[in-house]
Amino acid sequence: MGKDNKVATDENDKVKKGPDFIRQIINKDLETGKNGTRVHTRFPPEPNGYLHIGHAKSICLNFGIAEDYEGGLYNLRFDDTNPEKEDTEYVEAIKEDIQWLGFDWKDRLFFASDYFDKIYDFALELVNSGKAYVDSLNAEEIREYRGTPTKPGKDSPYRNRTVEENLEMLENMKNGKYKDGEHILRAKIDMAHVNMNMRDPAIYRIKNATHHRTGDKWHIYPMYDFAHGYEDAIEGVTHSICTLEFENHRPLYDWFLDNVSAPCHPQQIEFARLNLSYTVMSKRYLLELVKSGIVDGWDDPRMPTICGLRRRGVTPTAVRTLAREIGISKVNSMIDMNFFYYIIREEMNETASRMMAVLDPLKVVITNYDADTTEEFDADNNPQIENGGTRKIPFSREIYIERDDFMEDAPKKFFRLAPGREVRLKHAYFLTCNEVIKDENGEVVELHCSIDPETRGGNSPDGRKVKGTLHWVSAAHAVDAEVRLYDNLFTLEDLSNMEEGKQYNDYLNPESMMILSNCKVEPSLANAEPGAPYQFLRKGYFSADSKHHSKEKPVFNRVVALKDSWAKMQKK
RNA sequence: AUCCCGAUGGUGUAAUUGGUAACACACCAGAUUCUGGUUCUGGCUUUGGGGGUUCAAGUCCUCCUCGGGAUGCCA
């Protein structure tokens, strides 16, 4: 089966996708020798939040490109230019997430704050050449002076300060002689420029704040547009890949590089960020979900954060496969969450150990089976793997089956257990339901069934067939477990498309987490390690929860359900 | 409103860069199966609109329409 797959893949390779538009640019640069033979990228997170799957797309792109080219290099650089928002706590979390994804930046871990001196020198260059000035307008005035997209701005009255005066004031800004917002260093470009970003953008703002790495050394901090190109140039980055919203900033990126003695001029290239249906990617929403307690922290298994996915049981391979399969373009698009689920299933089908786990147990007493007997059956660990091996599973008089595998008034198309009907207990016997026991409320509490001893192992000597095969677990041997079923966090596919007057939390999915605390599972599952993939037969892929699972009290997260064509049929 | 970017099926991405639209998902139908899983077979649907260049246009030009971004001392 796996072999057939390989052949098909090889055939597909002949018609495989061409390089994406960014790799095409790089190929061309390599041909023309623009950067010699170098390909050098970077991922520049701001340490002010946790990484999510959208970042993963960017990481896979940036780092993946460098890996694709011989001699290619990639940097991890923390863009820590705003001390008020950033914290070293995030630095470690981000590093851990990127490592988990399988990338190794080796000795190329950098911090923008390490370049503060060099960046300041670039500012001095601009001041000295008359291309930057200290403005003393306040924030509101600056906004007014900027004009609008249709109306040109006007020059600040401070625009023509002398180089000497600018130099002196900048020095004072740097040394903390002023209060926050009192002055600001601006580039002198063009207050009437059609691109608002070019209307004398801010270079340094005064922030008398303690930086998580430079402490109190600085009282001014560089703006993103001003600093970013220099950070890239200092590191010798060749291709500076960022998301679409920076497209309008590219002229500025280039301007800052062109007007000082930068060591090189990296090329900024923009691509469309990832949107996934039924979830949110914005830092603000994610933070609110955590702070309001709607989710159980950044690593809640419903969160699209890397740590959330990890805790849920999603593998790094699945994330990287997704990043590769969705491609890369400049079109804003929405990836169907089901596509991600498909990728996860495809991988786990190959890797997950099959296990018996009954999530909603219904007791079955096998009336013709001896109460003191226990026998063992061989069960496949993974039928997808040729020599996947088997394990022993115990069988006894009382077992549990899934409650919805029984139906009292079953339609013809229902292939599972019903009064008088025969099914197969996976790996064990054919089973017929003889009697339904109910409580005073009429609820089914127990089934009395009988097995056909001739069908031991799961096949009948007379060749008769059964339509359904059920998973089960021996009551005497089962371990109690908690299982958490997850679904999309939101009921709205595209959260940027909310009805008027509605908030994102009006669309929270009340069934995003269903905790089943009365599950019965195979004994060996108590020893499960978080991250190890399991398939609970006929139910889905699961993984032990890294936060709550213990041998004494097993807790499993559902990564993704199995396809269920019976459920689909019922919906119709 | 002005500027920038974009537009290929239900979704995402391709198309040897001007050579006659493909791959995957989804969906539908059937087969196989000790998981209603997997696998297999078949089906479905596509170049936003108008003009132009050309033997030939998804690709080039032009106008229009629609969508996204830009009016932080955030990144």
Side-chain angles (χ1 to χ4, degrees):
Chain A
M1 190 174 309
K3 272 180 187 165
D4 292 343
N5 250 337
K6 269 225 166 108
V7 173
T9 313
D10 289 342
E11 303 242 89
N12 286 341
D13 281 351
K14 288 173 192 163
V15 289
K16 74 179 174 193
K17 298 177 181 181
D20 58 67
F21 81 97
I22 295 179
R23 275 171 246 249
Q24 283 179 37
I25 292 171
I26 295 173
N27 289 343
K28 194 164 278 178
D29 289 345
L30 253 17
E31 274 170 37
T32 62
K34 182 179 173 189
N35 307 297
T37 57
R38 295 194 312 115
V39 175
H40 201 147
T41 59
R42 106 266 91 119
F43 176 66
E46 184 187 14
N48 72 342
Y50 286 80
L51 258 29
H52 54 63
I53 190 162
H55 293 113
K57 176 185 180 182
S58 178
I59 293 164
C60 292
L61 212 218
N62 274 292
F63 292 1
I65 280 176
E67 284 179 341
D68 279 359
Y69 292 89
E70 205 178 317
L73 297 173
Y74 55 87
N75 300 354
L76 171 60
R77 178 173 74 231
F78 287 95
D79 203 6
D80 52 353
T81 55
N82 189 346
E84 288 168 348
K85 296 189 170 179
E86 296 149 6
D87 198 282
T88 184
E89 165 206 349
Y90 296 113
V91 171
E92 292 311 311
I94 289 170
K95 282 159 71 177
E96 184 187 353
D97 287 348
I98 298 175
Q99 276 166 337
W100 178 76
L101 280 174
F103 293 103
D104 181 3
W105 54 84
K106 305 235 167 76
D107 58 345
R108 291 179 305 281
L109 169 66
F110 302 112
F111 291 84
S113 51
D114 287 342
Y115 311 140
F116 279 175
D117 285 303
K118 289 179 183 170
I119 289 172
Y120 186 74
D121 287 342
F122 287 132
L124 289 178
E125 275 191 56
L126 290 173
V127 172
N128 276 310
S129 59
K131 287 171 180 161
Y133 63 99
V134 174
D135 196 356
S136 304
L137 255 28
N138 64 37
E140 195 183 325
E141 290 166 328
I142 286 182
R143 200 181 321 124
E144 282 163 19
Y145 274 69
R146 187 159 32 230
T148 69
T150 42
K151 266 183 243 136
K154 53 184 181 184
D155 290 357
S156 163
Y158 304 98
R159 201 174 197 254
N160 292 315
R161 288 216 248 236
T162 63
V163 169
E164 292 68 32
E165 194 180 354
N166 283 324
L167 249 19
E168 192 190 326
M169 290 188 76
L170 176 59
E171 182 74 12
N172 288 337
M173 284 169 65
K174 178 186 151 197
N175 292 330
K177 297 241 167 97
Y178 306 122
K179 292 196 284 283
D180 284 16
E182 208 173 331
H183 304 287
I184 188 164
L185 186 72
R186 293 227 258 167
K188 191 188 283 189
I189 306 179
D190 179 2
M191 288 306 291
H193 201 108
V194 287
N195 184 340
M196 298 287 289
N197 295 126
M198 300 295 272
R199 322 246 259 228
D200 288 13
I203 289 178
Y204 270 114
R205 73 285 216 196
I206 298 172
K207 278 184 192 291
N208 292 292
T210 302
H211 187 278
H212 68 101
R213 296 193 84 242
T214 61
D216 295 319
K217 179 180 176 189
W218 294 87
H219 295 85
I220 55 173
Y221 292 92
M223 299 289 293
Y224 171 90
D225 284 323
F226 167 66
H228 203 85
Y230 297 147
E231 296 163 18
D232 288 336
I234 288 166
E235 293 176 12
V237 164
T238 56
H239 302 272
S240 179
I241 300 165
C242 62
T243 44
L244 246 31
E245 67 266 32
F246 293 104
E247 209 160 21
N248 292 322
H249 297 241
R250 193 184 340 126
L252 197 45
Y253 181 98
D254 291 331
W255 189 91
F256 279 124
L257 251 12
D258 286 338
N259 285 283
V260 301
S261 56
C264 62
H265 190 139
Q267 180 180 1
Q268 175 179 309
I269 305 169
E270 310 85 14
F271 73 99
R273 59 153 31 106
L274 171 68
N275 295 300
L276 256 186
S277 62
Y278 302 105
T279 190
V280 287
M281 227 64 99
S282 93
K283 249 171 214 174
R284 201 194 106 210
Y285 285 165
L286 258 21
L287 185 67
E288 276 180 36
L289 287 167
V290 172
K291 282 197 167 165
S292 63
I294 291 170
V295 298
D296 173 29
W298 287 97
D299 66 346
D300 185 292
R302 292 166 290 180
M303 291 282 273
T305 49
I306 308 283
C307 52
L309 296 169
R310 178 166 59 230
R311 186 172 154 204
R312 172 119 160 210
V314 174
T315 63
T317 324
V319 176
R320 291 181 70 151
T321 304
L322 177 75
R324 188 182 64 240
E325 291 298 314
I326 58 177
I328 171 83
S329 74
K330 297 190 69 161
V331 191
N332 288 303
S333 58
M334 175 72 72
I335 303 295
D336 193 338
M337 185 65 96
N338 290 315
F339 185 58
F340 190 29
Y341 293 155
Y342 153 78
I343 284 169
I344 296 168
R345 281 194 205 102
E346 197 181 43
E347 182 194 341
M348 297 225 174
N349 183 43
E350 304 294 325
T351 58
S353 299
R354 271 55 171 173
M355 289 287 163
M356 296 278 211
V358 176
L359 306 188
D360 185 9
L362 173 62
K363 185 177 269 188
V364 171
V365 178
I366 301 162
T367 51
N368 65 340
Y369 196 85
D370 181 52
D372 301 320
T373 304
T374 294
E375 61 184 317
E376 286 186 322
F377 294 104
D378 291 316
D380 300 320
N381 292 327
N382 187 338
Q384 299 298 116
I385 301 172
E386 212 155 318
N387 294 309
T390 59
R391 67 186 185 287
K392 300 284 185 192
I393 49 172
F395 182 84
S396 60
R397 188 170 198 260
E398 296 192 353
I399 61 170
Y400 293 108
I401 65 166
E402 211 68 64
R403 183 164 288 274
D404 62 10
D405 279 341
F406 171 78
M407 218 180 207
E408 203 170 5
D409 297 303
K412 255 198 186 128
K413 294 265 188 168
F414 186 77
F415 299 154
R416 280 109 97 142
L417 199 60
R421 288 204 198 171
E422 186 174 50
V423 297
R424 172 168 38 230
L425 295 172
K426 178 99 176 165
H427 303 306
Y429 292 100
F430 282 12
L431 180 86
T432 303
C433 175
N434 307 311
E435 196 182 343
V436 181
I437 314 294
K438 297 180 185 176
D439 64 10
E440 59 272 21
N441 301 320
E443 183 140 349
V444 178
V445 292
E446 197 174 294
L447 262 25
H448 286 183
C449 303
S450 55
I451 53 156
D452 176 356
E454 296 295 309
T455 59
R456 189 173 192 284
N459 282 304
S460 66
D462 62 10
R464 77 178 187 278
K465 304 272 187 207
V466 287
K467 279 265 180 68
T469 299
L470 308 189
H471 61 280
W472 52 273
V473 67
S474 163
H477 304 86
V479 166
D480 289 315
E482 177 177 307
V483 170
R484 302 174 171 202
L485 306 182
Y486 297 104
D487 199 355
N488 299 328
L489 243 184
F490 295 94
T491 54
L492 186 66
E493 187 170 358
D494 182 357
L495 271 294
S496 68
N497 240 338
M498 290 183 273
E499 274 178 70
E500 247 193 75
K502 293 231 180 182
Q503 307 261 318
Y504 77 100
N505 48 18
D506 290 327
Y507 297 97
L508 285 167
N509 179 6
E511 297 179 351
S512 62
M513 176 168 69
M514 310 273 276
I515 297 186
L516 308 175
S517 46
N518 188 31
C519 309
K520 304 284 185 182
V521 304
E522 255 187 80
S524 66
L525 242 14
N527 301 316
E529 293 288 334
Y534 292 101
Q535 185 193 104
F536 289 180
L537 229 58
R538 302 205 302 136
K539 282 291 162 187
Y541 296 102
F542 294 80
S543 187
D545 186 276
S546 54
K547 207 161 173 174
H548 300 299
H549 176 82
S550 70
K551 194 171 177 165
E552 293 68 38
K553 186 182 181 269
V555 178
F556 291 91
N557 294 322
R558 183 174 71 190
V559 187
V560 58
L562 244 34
K563 270 209 245 173
D564 189 346
S565 52
W566 166 242
K568 198 185 233 176
M569 222 155 88
Q570 282 177 304
K571 271 189 194 169
K572 287 179 195 168

